[in-house]
Amino acid sequence: MSVPRRQSPMTRSATQAPVRPAVLRWARESVGLTVEAVATRLGVSAAALVRWESEATVVSITALEKLAHIYKRPLAAFFLPSPPEEPTAPPDFRATPARRGRPLDPSTRLAIRRARRVQAVAADLADGQQIDVGKASIQDAADDAAAAARGRLGVAIDAQLEWVDTTAAANAWKAAVERLGVLVLELGFAARDARAFSLADRSPPVIVLNSRDARVAKPFSLFHEYAHLMLGDGGLCDFDDLRDGVDLQRAERFCNRFAAAVLLPRDAFRAQINRLGAREPWPDRVVDRLTRLFKVSRPVVFLRLVTLGLASSEAYRRRREDWEAERAAQPPRRGGRNVPAARCLRENGLRFTSAVLASERSGRITRRDVAEYLGVRVKYLGEVERRLSRAAPA
């Protein structure tokens, strides 16, 4: 007859653990989830979760592991004696009071948290490079600030016109910005919250593009946020200055005009217009030709026409409404194949990925540290290194 194995007191006690209610409440609120939403995913009643968050109690390790997955926190976070101090969210530059007053989606909160984590790790691994993105003020002429930025980036207009497509353009612009020491990440977050955001209050500065945005739109987002870095006031942005009649803060208006001027330099843009022999009312065939030449979106081309006095705001408003209706009528884009190594480089950027891998080679961190910092499994790191070696150096 077999004798049943006795469970040691240590093993039995390890199945449950005391937790601080304030820590549980912080973990949920920091990701922007309701009690009802978490309780449903956890498989408990809302009353039970409220009790955990308000009374001293013990919670099963299994439940804590599920909460760690839901909140994207390490299990150890639930055993802190009190909620930790966390960096503040970037300033909110979203256009309308309704947007600014609306709570951020959990995906957006997680993207901000991830960007802060990357920024902190990069600061620890910093190689001492001076980061100079230039300075600007909202009183500056956007064209002058853009010309100075292009000189700093070292991207000639001839090279831009020769890029084969919008993907090549987006990658080249990102690499140019990263060479200055800025971290450029692509993370998925709610489009209703923001098109992009930036962190300028600490070094290194960070720009985060929305991976759910169209590829052709990302260079404009990149340089809108770059302008915020020059102003020293990174923030959460939705670019609604592109819509006629929106009363934006002056900083946002400057950033939009700066981004358009970087991507469509005045002299080169006018030269192409003259070559096409075009003028108002700017037929779609002309606008589309300019988008292909400069690898930008139609709204950015028309915004540049408006800022150069070549088109009216009213004409732009009508065209934008037509383009949005056309886009809404198209079937949704299908997601591409999930390639972990490619996603790792896209999310972390070339510069941060390079810094992390270099720190491993120098013996400062382990292979497991690399996987944790980059958010990818160890088995994919070889492919990450191979893809990085083929990419433009950051």
Side-chain angles (χ1 to χ4, degrees):
M1 182 177 67
S2 62
V3 179
R5 296 191 327 183
R6 292 179 58 194
Q7 188 177 32
S8 71
M10 181 176 294
T11 303
R12 288 197 303 273
S13 63
T15 61
Q16 290 190 319
V19 291
R20 300 293 178 95
V23 172
L24 284 179
R25 188 165 56 254
W26 155 79
R28 177 180 58 78
E29 291 177 348
S30 68
V31 79
L33 291 171
T34 65
V35 167
E36 292 75 16
V38 174
T40 298
R41 293 178 63 178
L42 195 59
V44 301
S45 68
L49 187 56
V50 168
R51 187 169 60 252
W52 294 354
E53 292 185 359
S54 58
E55 302 174 7
T57 186
V58 294
V59 179
S60 72
I61 294 297
T62 299
L64 289 177
E65 288 174 340
K66 290 180 180 178
L67 287 174
H69 176 73
I70 294 169
Y71 299 153
K72 303 296 187 292
R73 297 281 185 184
L75 184 62
F78 296 101
F79 301 105
L80 293 170
S82 61
E85 290 283 338
E86 291 193 299
T88 58
D92 195 342
F93 287 105
R94 291 177 295 172
T96 62
R99 284 197 174 197
R100 289 195 297 272
R102 184 175 58 203
L104 295 177
D105 186 83
S107 65
T108 307
R109 292 170 180 263
L110 289 172
I112 294 171
R113 186 201 301 173
R114 171 64 182 162
R116 286 292 192 190
R117 168 67 169 161
V118 167
Q119 186 181 46
V121 171
D124 287 342
L125 303 179
D127 55 10
Q129 178 191 354
Q130 295 297 314
I131 300 173
D132 179 18
V133 299
K135 294 185 181 297
S137 77
I138 57 175
Q139 285 78 33
D140 293 342
D143 276 279
D144 293 342
R150 280 196 73 122
R152 191 175 295 109
L153 292 163
V155 177
I157 189 63
D158 289 344
Q160 179 182 352
L161 296 177
E162 290 175 2
W163 291 332
V164 296
D165 56 24
T166 56
T167 297
N171 290 338
W173 284 126
K174 285 168 55 181
V177 171
E178 287 198 302
R179 282 194 293 271
L180 297 180
V182 179
L183 304 182
V184 181
L185 320 180
E186 286 195 33
L187 303 172
F189 50 93
R192 69 176 180 84
D193 280 342
R195 296 288 297 274
F197 64 88
S198 50
L199 306 176
D201 56 338
R202 302 179 183 187
S203 187
V206 182
I207 292 174
V208 182
L209 308 179
N210 197 329
S211 63
R212 301 172 186 174
D213 211 352
R215 176 62 59 178
V216 70
K218 289 177 182 177
F220 184 87
S221 300
L222 176 68
F223 286 111
H224 178 102
E225 299 305 329
Y226 185 96
H228 273 294
L229 299 184
M230 294 176 68
L231 294 173
D233 64 356
L236 193 71
C237 307
D238 60 17
F239 312 158
D240 264 357
D241 184 30
L242 295 181
R243 298 177 186 275
D244 187 55
V246 174
D247 181 20
L248 273 193
Q249 300 173 52
R250 292 177 66 192
E252 285 295 85
R253 206 170 288 280
F254 172 82
C255 291
N256 282 345
R257 279 143 182 74
F258 170 89
V262 168
L263 297 169
L264 302 166
R266 179 175 50 207
D267 292 344
F269 188 56
R270 285 184 178 274
Q272 292 298 333
I273 289 173
N274 292 338
R275 187 170 290 117
L276 293 171
R279 65 182 69 178
E280 276 197 294
W282 305 107
D284 279 349
R285 63 175 178 79
V286 171
V287 174
D288 289 345
R289 174 61 176 160
L290 292 168
T291 65
R292 289 192 295 272
L293 281 169
F294 291 94
K295 287 80 182 177
V296 296
S297 67
R298 291 186 291 184
V300 173
V301 168
F302 225 97
L303 173 64
R304 193 64 171 131
L305 292 171
V306 172
T307 59
L308 291 175
L310 301 174
S312 68
S313 296
E314 176 59 24
Y316 175 54
R317 184 188 63 78
R318 292 195 303 267
R319 297 292 281 280
R320 185 176 179 89
E321 288 175 353
D322 291 342
W323 292 330
E324 289 186 344
E326 177 184 315
R327 184 176 60 184
Q330 295 175 349
R333 292 185 303 162
R334 298 181 62 182
R337 188 166 61 94
N338 181 22
V339 180
R343 187 183 70 249
C344 173
L345 287 177
R346 183 174 63 252
E347 291 182 349
N348 294 291
L350 302 183
R351 184 170 192 84
F352 180 67
T353 305
S354 297
V356 170
L357 290 169
S359 293
E360 185 211 4
R361 289 193 294 271
S362 67
R364 294 179 62 190
I365 61 176
T366 68
R367 195 72 165 170
R368 288 192 177 277
D369 292 330
V370 173
E372 179 191 347
Y373 293 160
L374 298 181
V376 68
R377 296 170 68 179
V378 171
K379 69 178 183 178
Y380 296 121
L381 290 177
E383 180 61 19
V384 170
E385 291 173 303
R386 284 189 288 274
R387 286 174 176 264
L388 181 64
S389 68
R390 297 195 297 266

